[in-house]
PDB file of all heavy atoms in Angstrom:
ATOM      1  N   GLN A   5       0.213  -8.170   6.979  1.00 97.00           N
ATOM      2  CA  GLN A   5      -0.214  -6.888   6.430  1.00 97.00           C
ATOM      3  C   GLN A   5       0.755  -5.713   6.643  1.00 97.00           C
ATOM      4  O   GLN A   5       0.736  -4.888   5.743  1.00 97.00           O
ATOM      5  CB  GLN A   5      -1.603  -6.598   6.989  1.00 97.00           C
ATOM      6  CG  GLN A   5      -2.670  -7.660   6.539  1.00 97.00           C
ATOM      7  CD  GLN A   5      -4.123  -7.337   7.098  1.00 97.00           C
ATOM      8  OE1 GLN A   5      -4.412  -6.064   7.290  1.00 97.00           O
ATOM      9  NE2 GLN A   5      -4.849  -8.364   7.257  1.00 97.00           N
ATOM     10  N   ASP A   6       1.423  -5.749   7.734  1.00 98.00           N
ATOM     11  CA  ASP A   6       2.336  -4.690   8.013  1.00 98.00           C
ATOM     12  C   ASP A   6       3.425  -4.656   7.044  1.00 98.00           C
ATOM     13  O   ASP A   6       3.933  -3.581   6.626  1.00 98.00           O
ATOM     14  CB  ASP A   6       2.890  -4.724   9.392  1.00 98.00           C
ATOM     15  CG  ASP A   6       3.635  -6.029   9.722  1.00 98.00           C
ATOM     16  OD1 ASP A   6       3.397  -6.984   9.049  1.00 98.00           O
ATOM     17  OD2 ASP A   6       4.454  -6.059  10.763  1.00 98.00           O
ATOM     18  N   GLU A   7       3.848  -5.845   6.501  1.00 98.00           N
ATOM     19  CA  GLU A   7       4.920  -5.884   5.446  1.00 98.00           C
ATOM     20  C   GLU A   7       4.433  -5.346   4.131  1.00 98.00           C
ATOM     21  O   GLU A   7       5.056  -4.640   3.415  1.00 98.00           O
ATOM     22  CB  GLU A   7       5.350  -7.336   5.256  1.00 98.00           C
ATOM     23  CG  GLU A   7       6.203  -7.891   6.409  1.00 98.00           C
ATOM     24  CD  GLU A   7       7.438  -7.071   6.731  1.00 98.00           C
ATOM     25  OE1 GLU A   7       8.116  -6.696   5.685  1.00 98.00           O
ATOM     26  OE2 GLU A   7       7.794  -6.879   7.808  1.00 98.00           O
ATOM     27  N   GLY A   8       3.115  -5.661   3.829  1.00 98.00           N
ATOM     28  CA  GLY A   8       2.529  -5.078   2.598  1.00 98.00           C
ATOM     29  C   GLY A   8       2.391  -3.542   2.679  1.00 98.00           C
ATOM     30  O   GLY A   8       2.671  -2.926   1.686  1.00 98.00           O
ATOM     31  N   LYS A   9       1.994  -3.099   3.751  1.00 98.00           N
ATOM     32  CA  LYS A   9       1.878  -1.665   3.947  1.00 98.00           C
ATOM     33  C   LYS A   9       3.347  -0.945   3.889  1.00 98.00           C
ATOM     34  O   LYS A   9       3.414   0.073   3.259  1.00 98.00           O
ATOM     35  CB  LYS A   9       1.288  -1.341   5.342  1.00 98.00           C
ATOM     36  CG  LYS A   9       1.093   0.196   5.534  1.00 98.00           C
ATOM     37  CD  LYS A   9       0.479   0.424   6.913  1.00 98.00           C
ATOM     38  CE  LYS A   9       0.241   1.986   7.096  1.00 98.00           C
ATOM     39  NZ  LYS A   9       1.492   2.737   7.047  1.00 98.00           N
ATOM     40  N   LYS A  10       4.237  -1.584   4.467  1.00 98.00           N
ATOM     41  CA  LYS A  10       5.666  -1.089   4.356  1.00 98.00           C
ATOM     42  C   LYS A  10       6.098  -0.896   2.967  1.00 98.00           C
ATOM     43  O   LYS A  10       6.668   0.149   2.545  1.00 98.00           O
ATOM     44  CB  LYS A  10       6.567  -2.000   5.193  1.00 98.00           C
ATOM     45  CG  LYS A  10       8.018  -1.427   5.309  1.00 98.00           C
ATOM     46  CD  LYS A  10       8.882  -2.496   5.984  1.00 98.00           C
ATOM     47  CE  LYS A  10       8.369  -2.974   7.295  1.00 98.00           C
ATOM     48  NZ  LYS A  10       9.315  -3.860   7.979  1.00 98.00           N
ATOM     49  N   VAL A  11       5.881  -1.930   2.187  1.00 98.00           N
ATOM     50  CA  VAL A  11       6.301  -1.924   0.738  1.00 98.00           C
ATOM     51  C   VAL A  11       5.553  -0.877  -0.035  1.00 98.00           C
ATOM     52  O   VAL A  11       6.086  -0.100  -0.823  1.00 98.00           O
ATOM     53  CB  VAL A  11       6.221  -3.224   0.075  1.00 98.00           C
ATOM     54  CG1 VAL A  11       6.563  -3.161  -1.363  1.00 98.00           C
ATOM     55  CG2 VAL A  11       7.118  -4.219   0.790  1.00 98.00           C
ATOM     56  N   SER A  12       4.234  -0.792   0.135  1.00 98.00           N
ATOM     57  CA  SER A  12       3.497   0.156  -0.653  1.00 98.00           C
ATOM     58  C   SER A  12       3.691   1.598  -0.177  1.00 98.00           C
ATOM     59  O   SER A  12       3.642   2.552  -0.918  1.00 98.00           O
ATOM     60  CB  SER A  12       1.985  -0.202  -0.543  1.00 98.00           C
ATOM     61  OG  SER A  12       1.471  -0.252   0.707  1.00 98.00           O
ATOM     62  N   ASP A  13       3.939   1.737   1.132  1.00 98.00           N
ATOM     63  CA  ASP A  13       4.292   3.077   1.624  1.00 98.00           C
ATOM     64  C   ASP A  13       5.565   3.562   0.889  1.00 98.00           C
ATOM     65  O   ASP A  13       5.665   4.796   0.560  1.00 98.00           O
ATOM     66  CB  ASP A  13       4.605   3.088   3.096  1.00 98.00           C
ATOM     67  CG  ASP A  13       3.366   3.075   3.937  1.00 98.00           C
ATOM     68  OD1 ASP A  13       2.224   3.195   3.464  1.00 98.00           O
ATOM     69  OD2 ASP A  13       3.474   2.786   5.250  1.00 98.00           O
ATOM     70  N   ALA A  14       6.517   2.763   0.645  1.00 98.00           N
ATOM     71  CA  ALA A  14       7.726   3.153  -0.097  1.00 98.00           C
ATOM     72  C   ALA A  14       7.389   3.450  -1.495  1.00 98.00           C
ATOM     73  O   ALA A  14       7.964   4.523  -2.082  1.00 98.00           O
ATOM     74  CB  ALA A  14       8.767   1.980   0.021  1.00 98.00           C
ATOM     75  N   LEU A  15       6.526   2.830  -2.182  1.00 98.00           N
ATOM     76  CA  LEU A  15       6.110   3.110  -3.520  1.00 98.00           C
ATOM     77  C   LEU A  15       5.346   4.438  -3.617  1.00 98.00           C
ATOM     78  O   LEU A  15       5.590   5.259  -4.505  1.00 98.00           O
ATOM     79  CB  LEU A  15       5.276   1.988  -4.076  1.00 98.00           C
ATOM     80  CG  LEU A  15       5.963   0.647  -4.185  1.00 98.00           C
ATOM     81  CD1 LEU A  15       4.960  -0.421  -4.627  1.00 98.00           C
ATOM     82  CD2 LEU A  15       7.044   0.631  -5.195  1.00 98.00           C
ATOM     83  N   VAL A  16       4.483   4.632  -2.654  1.00 98.00           N
ATOM     84  CA  VAL A  16       3.750   5.930  -2.559  1.00 98.00           C
ATOM     85  C   VAL A  16       4.776   7.046  -2.349  1.00 98.00           C
ATOM     86  O   VAL A  16       4.549   8.121  -2.926  1.00 98.00           O
ATOM     87  CB  VAL A  16       2.668   5.829  -1.502  1.00 98.00           C
ATOM     88  CG1 VAL A  16       2.018   7.168  -1.344  1.00 98.00           C
ATOM     89  CG2 VAL A  16       1.629   4.725  -1.888  1.00 98.00           C
ATOM     90  N   ALA A  17       5.671   6.810  -1.475  1.00 98.00           N
ATOM     91  CA  ALA A  17       6.688   7.900  -1.159  1.00 98.00           C
ATOM     92  C   ALA A  17       7.447   8.262  -2.494  1.00 98.00           C
ATOM     93  O   ALA A  17       7.921   9.395  -2.682  1.00 98.00           O
ATOM     94  CB  ALA A  17       7.625   7.514  -0.160  1.00 98.00           C
ATOM     95  N   GLN A  18       7.588   7.313  -3.411  1.00 98.00           N
ATOM     96  CA  GLN A  18       8.264   7.668  -4.606  1.00 98.00           C
ATOM     97  C   GLN A  18       7.352   8.220  -5.675  1.00 98.00           C
ATOM     98  O   GLN A  18       7.755   8.522  -6.774  1.00 98.00           O
ATOM     99  CB  GLN A  18       8.880   6.253  -5.202  1.00 98.00           C
ATOM    100  CG  GLN A  18      10.025   5.716  -4.357  1.00 98.00           C
ATOM    101  CD  GLN A  18      10.363   4.371  -4.933  1.00 98.00           C
ATOM    102  OE1 GLN A  18      10.800   4.234  -6.009  1.00 98.00           O
ATOM    103  NE2 GLN A  18      10.228   3.310  -4.060  1.00 98.00           N
ATOM    104  N   GLY A  19       6.105   8.339  -5.414  1.00 98.00           N
ATOM    105  CA  GLY A  19       5.136   9.017  -6.269  1.00 98.00           C
ATOM    106  C   GLY A  19       4.034   8.325  -6.852  1.00 98.00           C
ATOM    107  O   GLY A  19       3.176   8.773  -7.581  1.00 98.00           O
ATOM    108  N   ALA A  20       3.883   6.966  -6.531  1.00 98.00           N
ATOM    109  CA  ALA A  20       2.787   6.124  -7.094  1.00 98.00           C
ATOM    110  C   ALA A  20       1.489   6.477  -6.419  1.00 98.00           C
ATOM    111  O   ALA A  20       1.480   6.678  -5.145  1.00 98.00           O
ATOM    112  CB  ALA A  20       3.097   4.666  -6.839  1.00 98.00           C
ATOM    113  N   ASP A  21       0.488   6.733  -7.150  1.00 98.00           N
ATOM    114  CA  ASP A  21      -0.911   6.989  -6.576  1.00 98.00           C
ATOM    115  C   ASP A  21      -1.821   5.807  -6.843  1.00 98.00           C
ATOM    116  O   ASP A  21      -2.970   5.913  -6.478  1.00 98.00           O
ATOM    117  CB  ASP A  21      -1.430   8.316  -7.046  1.00 98.00           C
ATOM    118  CG  ASP A  21      -1.623   8.402  -8.486  1.00 98.00           C
ATOM    119  OD1 ASP A  21      -1.154   7.522  -9.237  1.00 98.00           O
ATOM    120  OD2 ASP A  21      -2.291   9.438  -8.964  1.00 98.00           O
ATOM    121  N   ILE A  22      -1.364   4.816  -7.524  1.00 98.00           N
ATOM    122  CA  ILE A  22      -2.115   3.548  -7.714  1.00 98.00           C
ATOM    123  C   ILE A  22      -1.212   2.416  -7.393  1.00 98.00           C
ATOM    124  O   ILE A  22      -0.093   2.314  -8.126  1.00 98.00           O
ATOM    125  CB  ILE A  22      -2.770   3.485  -9.112  1.00 98.00           C
ATOM    126  CG1 ILE A  22      -3.734   4.679  -9.319  1.00 98.00           C
ATOM    127  CG2 ILE A  22      -3.468   2.140  -9.235  1.00 98.00           C
ATOM    128  CD1 ILE A  22      -4.377   4.739 -10.767  1.00 98.00           C
ATOM    129  N   VAL A  23      -1.522   1.481  -6.625  1.00 98.00           N
ATOM    130  CA  VAL A  23      -0.619   0.369  -6.329  1.00 98.00           C
ATOM    131  C   VAL A  23      -1.426  -0.984  -6.419  1.00 98.00           C
ATOM    132  O   VAL A  23      -2.562  -1.068  -5.906  1.00 98.00           O
ATOM    133  CB  VAL A  23      -0.109   0.473  -4.869  1.00 98.00           C
ATOM    134  CG1 VAL A  23       0.784  -0.740  -4.557  1.00 98.00           C
ATOM    135  CG2 VAL A  23       0.688   1.720  -4.675  1.00 98.00           C
ATOM    136  N   MET A  24      -0.809  -1.928  -7.055  1.00 98.00           N
ATOM    137  CA  MET A  24      -1.333  -3.285  -7.251  1.00 98.00           C
ATOM    138  C   MET A  24      -0.571  -4.314  -6.440  1.00 98.00           C
ATOM    139  O   MET A  24       0.512  -4.711  -6.898  1.00 98.00           O
ATOM    140  CB  MET A  24      -1.450  -3.714  -8.707  1.00 98.00           C
ATOM    141  CG  MET A  24      -2.080  -5.066  -8.907  1.00 98.00           C
ATOM    142  SD  MET A  24      -2.138  -5.671 -10.617  1.00 98.00           S
ATOM    143  CE  MET A  24      -0.470  -6.204 -10.878  1.00 98.00           C
ATOM    144  N   PRO A  25      -1.004  -4.689  -5.243  1.00 98.00           N
ATOM    145  CA  PRO A  25      -0.272  -5.811  -4.560  1.00 98.00           C
ATOM    146  C   PRO A  25      -0.642  -7.128  -5.084  1.00 98.00           C
ATOM    147  O   PRO A  25      -1.769  -7.401  -5.336  1.00 98.00           O
ATOM    148  CB  PRO A  25      -0.792  -5.555  -3.074  1.00 98.00           C
ATOM    149  CG  PRO A  25      -2.230  -4.905  -3.231  1.00 98.00           C
ATOM    150  CD  PRO A  25      -2.116  -4.181  -4.524  1.00 98.00           C
ATOM    151  N   VAL A  26       0.357  -7.944  -5.207  1.00 97.00           N
ATOM    152  CA  VAL A  26       0.123  -9.345  -5.624  1.00 97.00           C
ATOM    153  C   VAL A  26       0.720 -10.182  -4.570  1.00 97.00           C
ATOM    154  O   VAL A  26       1.689 -10.903  -4.703  1.00 97.00           O
ATOM    155  CB  VAL A  26       0.818  -9.625  -6.944  1.00 97.00           C
ATOM    156  CG1 VAL A  26       0.302 -11.005  -7.553  1.00 97.00           C
ATOM    157  CG2 VAL A  26       0.512  -8.528  -7.976  1.00 97.00           C
ATOM    158  N   ALA A  27       0.173 -10.086  -3.276  1.00 96.00           N
ATOM    159  CA  ALA A  27       0.761 -10.690  -2.155  1.00 96.00           C
ATOM    160  C   ALA A  27      -0.242 -11.291  -1.285  1.00 96.00           C
ATOM    161  O   ALA A  27      -0.008 -11.366   0.007  1.00 96.00           O
ATOM    162  CB  ALA A  27       1.582  -9.636  -1.408  1.00 96.00           C
ATOM    163  N   GLY A  28      -1.378 -11.798  -1.736  1.00 92.00           N
ATOM    164  CA  GLY A  28      -2.351 -12.500  -0.870  1.00 92.00           C
ATOM    165  C   GLY A  28      -2.751 -11.636   0.135  1.00 92.00           C
ATOM    166  O   GLY A  28      -2.952 -10.409   0.115  1.00 92.00           O
ATOM    167  N   GLY A  29      -2.947 -12.121   1.361  1.00 92.00           N
ATOM    168  CA  GLY A  29      -3.394 -11.384   2.551  1.00 92.00           C
ATOM    169  C   GLY A  29      -2.492 -10.241   2.954  1.00 92.00           C
ATOM    170  O   GLY A  29      -3.004  -9.277   3.584  1.00 92.00           O
ATOM    171  N   ALA A  30      -1.223 -10.264   2.594  1.00 95.00           N
ATOM    172  CA  ALA A  30      -0.299  -9.185   3.028  1.00 95.00           C
ATOM    173  C   ALA A  30      -0.747  -7.854   2.281  1.00 95.00           C
ATOM    174  O   ALA A  30      -0.517  -6.803   2.768  1.00 95.00           O
ATOM    175  CB  ALA A  30       1.096  -9.557   2.627  1.00 95.00           C
ATOM    176  N   GLY A  31      -1.376  -7.983   1.106  1.00 97.00           N
ATOM    177  CA  GLY A  31      -1.744  -6.850   0.332  1.00 97.00           C
ATOM    178  C   GLY A  31      -2.963  -6.096   1.076  1.00 97.00           C
ATOM    179  O   GLY A  31      -3.139  -4.944   0.626  1.00 97.00           O
ATOM    180  N   LEU A  32      -3.595  -6.727   1.933  1.00 96.00           N
ATOM    181  CA  LEU A  32      -4.634  -5.965   2.709  1.00 96.00           C
ATOM    182  C   LEU A  32      -4.057  -4.797   3.515  1.00 96.00           C
ATOM    183  O   LEU A  32      -4.767  -3.874   3.896  1.00 96.00           O
ATOM    184  CB  LEU A  32      -5.425  -6.921   3.726  1.00 96.00           C
ATOM    185  CG  LEU A  32      -6.159  -8.068   2.993  1.00 96.00           C
ATOM    186  CD1 LEU A  32      -6.691  -9.051   4.067  1.00 96.00           C
ATOM    187  CD2 LEU A  32      -7.376  -7.485   2.159  1.00 96.00           C
ATOM    188  N   GLY A  33      -2.740  -4.850   3.865  1.00 98.00           N
ATOM    189  CA  GLY A  33      -2.093  -3.762   4.482  1.00 98.00           C
ATOM    190  C   GLY A  33      -2.019  -2.553   3.622  1.00 98.00           C
ATOM    191  O   GLY A  33      -2.222  -1.387   4.069  1.00 98.00           O
ATOM    192  N   THR A  34      -2.038  -2.782   2.316  1.00 98.00           N
ATOM    193  CA  THR A  34      -1.990  -1.680   1.327  1.00 98.00           C
ATOM    194  C   THR A  34      -3.423  -1.221   1.077  1.00 98.00           C
ATOM    195  O   THR A  34      -3.640   0.073   1.072  1.00 98.00           O
ATOM    196  CB  THR A  34      -1.499  -2.186  -0.047  1.00 98.00           C
ATOM    197  OG1 THR A  34      -0.080  -2.517   0.175  1.00 98.00           O
ATOM    198  CG2 THR A  34      -1.532  -1.126  -1.096  1.00 98.00           C
ATOM    199  N   THR A  35      -4.459  -2.008   0.884  1.00 98.00           N
ATOM    200  CA  THR A  35      -5.740  -1.574   0.580  1.00 98.00           C
ATOM    201  C   THR A  35      -6.309  -0.808   1.857  1.00 98.00           C
ATOM    202  O   THR A  35      -7.028   0.208   1.691  1.00 98.00           O
ATOM    203  CB  THR A  35      -6.618  -2.718   0.286  1.00 98.00           C
ATOM    204  OG1 THR A  35      -6.695  -3.740   1.308  1.00 98.00           O
ATOM    205  CG2 THR A  35      -6.276  -3.323  -1.072  1.00 98.00           C
ATOM    206  N   GLY A  36      -5.983  -1.308   3.016  1.00 98.00           N
ATOM    207  CA  GLY A  36      -6.458  -0.608   4.208  1.00 98.00           C
ATOM    208  C   GLY A  36      -5.948   0.681   4.467  1.00 98.00           C
ATOM    209  O   GLY A  36      -6.503   1.712   4.734  1.00 98.00           O
ATOM    210  N   ALA A  37      -4.569   0.854   4.136  1.00 98.00           N
ATOM    211  CA  ALA A  37      -3.841   2.183   4.226  1.00 98.00           C
ATOM    212  C   ALA A  37      -4.392   3.130   3.192  1.00 98.00           C
ATOM    213  O   ALA A  37      -4.472   4.320   3.408  1.00 98.00           O
ATOM    214  CB  ALA A  37      -2.341   1.924   4.163  1.00 98.00           C
ATOM    215  N   ALA A  38      -4.601   2.562   1.998  1.00 98.00           N
ATOM    216  CA  ALA A  38      -5.135   3.404   0.894  1.00 98.00           C
ATOM    217  C   ALA A  38      -6.549   3.954   1.254  1.00 98.00           C
ATOM    218  O   ALA A  38      -6.737   5.106   1.024  1.00 98.00           O
ATOM    219  CB  ALA A  38      -5.248   2.562  -0.367  1.00 98.00           C
ATOM    220  N   LYS A  39      -7.332   3.174   1.863  1.00 98.00           N
ATOM    221  CA  LYS A  39      -8.627   3.559   2.197  1.00 98.00           C
ATOM    222  C   LYS A  39      -8.530   4.687   3.303  1.00 98.00           C
ATOM    223  O   LYS A  39      -9.203   5.661   3.270  1.00 98.00           O
ATOM    224  CB  LYS A  39      -9.584   2.466   2.712  1.00 98.00           C
ATOM    225  CG  LYS A  39     -10.969   2.924   3.078  1.00 98.00           C
ATOM    226  CD  LYS A  39     -11.868   1.780   3.330  1.00 98.00           C
ATOM    227  CE  LYS A  39     -11.709   1.155   4.734  1.00 98.00           C
ATOM    228  NZ  LYS A  39     -12.805   0.245   5.131  1.00 98.00           N
ATOM    229  N   ALA A  40      -7.628   4.467   4.181  1.00 98.00           N
ATOM    230  CA  ALA A  40      -7.426   5.416   5.291  1.00 98.00           C
ATOM    231  C   ALA A  40      -6.832   6.797   4.842  1.00 98.00           C
ATOM    232  O   ALA A  40      -6.871   7.792   5.432  1.00 98.00           O
ATOM    233  CB  ALA A  40      -6.503   4.910   6.318  1.00 98.00           C
ATOM    234  N   SER A  41      -6.132   6.735   3.560  1.00 97.00           N
ATOM    235  CA  SER A  41      -5.461   7.944   3.046  1.00 97.00           C
ATOM    236  C   SER A  41      -6.486   8.905   2.491  1.00 97.00           C
ATOM    237  O   SER A  41      -6.090   9.950   2.236  1.00 97.00           O
ATOM    238  CB  SER A  41      -4.473   7.490   1.951  1.00 97.00           C
ATOM    239  OG  SER A  41      -5.127   7.235   0.772  1.00 97.00           O
ATOM    240  N   GLY A  42      -7.697   8.525   2.439  1.00 94.00           N
ATOM    241  CA  GLY A  42      -8.671   9.444   1.930  1.00 94.00           C
ATOM    242  C   GLY A  42      -8.576   9.847   0.523  1.00 94.00           C
ATOM    243  O   GLY A  42      -8.869  10.994   0.077  1.00 94.00           O
ATOM    244  N   GLY A  43      -8.040   8.997  -0.331  1.00 95.00           N
ATOM    245  CA  GLY A  43      -7.881   9.230  -1.726  1.00 95.00           C
ATOM    246  C   GLY A  43      -6.569   9.723  -2.132  1.00 95.00           C
ATOM    247  O   GLY A  43      -6.326   9.930  -3.344  1.00 95.00           O
ATOM    248  N   LYS A  44      -5.657   9.792  -1.282  1.00 97.00           N
ATOM    249  CA  LYS A  44      -4.278  10.138  -1.613  1.00 97.00           C
ATOM    250  C   LYS A  44      -3.726   9.146  -2.641  1.00 97.00           C
ATOM    251  O   LYS A  44      -3.009   9.486  -3.587  1.00 97.00           O
ATOM    252  CB  LYS A  44      -3.354  10.216  -0.413  1.00 97.00           C
ATOM    253  CG  LYS A  44      -1.902  10.470  -0.737  1.00 97.00           C
ATOM    254  CD  LYS A  44      -1.010  10.491   0.504  1.00 97.00           C
ATOM    255  CE  LYS A  44       0.471  10.690   0.043  1.00 97.00           C
ATOM    256  NZ  LYS A  44       1.407  10.640   1.288  1.00 97.00           N
TER     257      LYS A  44
END
């Protein structure tokens, strides 16, 4: 999951506000961080 979060953090830093992970359980790093972002 930390790898998923790392990749999506980079996408968000470039301006993405919606991210679709296609990475199985690794993608949970993205959904968890998105929920924690409070809607960012």
Side-chain angles (χ1 to χ4, degrees):
Q5 295 183 25
D6 56 340
E7 291 298 319
K9 182 180 182 299
K10 186 185 303 181
V11 174
S12 56
D13 281 352
L15 297 175
V16 172
Q18 295 174 60
D21 62 350
I22 298 173
V23 178
M24 182 182 77
V26 192
L32 295 170
T34 295
T35 58
K39 186 171 77 168
S41 79
K44 178 183 176 184

